[in-house]
Amino acid sequence: MRMRGEIDPQIAAQEYQDQLDLMATQRGEPIYRHDLILLGLGPDGHTASLFPETAALNEQVRHVVANFVPKLNARRLTFTFPLINHARHILFLVGSAKDPGLIERVLEGNPQYPAARVNPSAGEVTWMIGQ
């Protein structure tokens, strides 16, 4: 299933949340657990569409939101940390040209960078850094 980015972002986020909730119920899970979530790393430390200083960073209830990103002047559909951190496995795929200092700060857990907040409670994180 995919997020419908071509419709109103608030409606698209709710539709996707509803689909996740239905699948979780069908599986007998309180929260749908993705087997794998593939993430990247932006130059400001964002991942998914969880950008620094945006409201979605603090979302604790909803699993999918339309996050307003001021520097893009747009709403971006994104998974939230409660959903991401419930995955069985998370794979960061990062190009070798990415700032090594940024990667180091994220791996050290600096909360200034949203990607550093990816920390699954019962899953694993793998970083692939290369060409």
Side-chain angles (χ1 to χ4, degrees):
M1 97 184 131
R2 70 173 185 86
M3 290 187 211
R4 296 192 325 142
E6 70 276 10
I7 65 173
D8 177 271
Q10 300 285 26
I11 294 170
Q14 187 60 57
E15 278 185 2
Y16 198 84
Q17 174 77 51
D18 292 345
Q19 290 175 340
L20 290 176
D21 290 346
L22 176 60
M23 290 189 313
T25 299
Q26 291 170 340
R27 290 181 172 194
E29 300 173 341
I31 297 172
Y32 181 77
R33 289 190 73 196
H34 286 85
D35 291 321
L36 174 67
I37 296 178
L38 176 64
L39 296 173
L41 177 65
D44 56 0
H46 84 269
T47 193
S49 281
L50 296 166
F51 288 81
E53 301 177 13
T54 58
L57 294 176
N58 299 314
E59 181 60 49
Q60 297 297 314
V61 176
R62 294 176 296 167
H63 300 146
V64 181
V65 297
N67 191 28
F68 182 72
V69 182
K71 75 180 192 175
L72 302 176
N73 193 30
R75 291 201 180 277
R76 300 278 296 264
L77 293 172
T78 188
F79 289 178
T80 62
F81 289 120
L83 181 64
I84 292 171
N85 286 330
H86 207 69
R88 289 179 176 84
H89 199 103
I90 296 164
L91 172 62
F92 275 94
L93 187 57
V94 180
S96 60
K98 190 68 64 181
D99 174 11
L102 171 65
I103 295 169
E104 184 176 326
R105 290 185 295 275
V106 169
L107 290 173
E108 289 172 349
N110 185 327
Q112 165 184 349
Y113 304 101
R117 294 175 57 183
V118 173
N119 184 18
S121 56
E124 297 180 21
V125 177
T126 301
W127 283 78
M128 290 182 69
I129 303 170
Q131 308 250 346

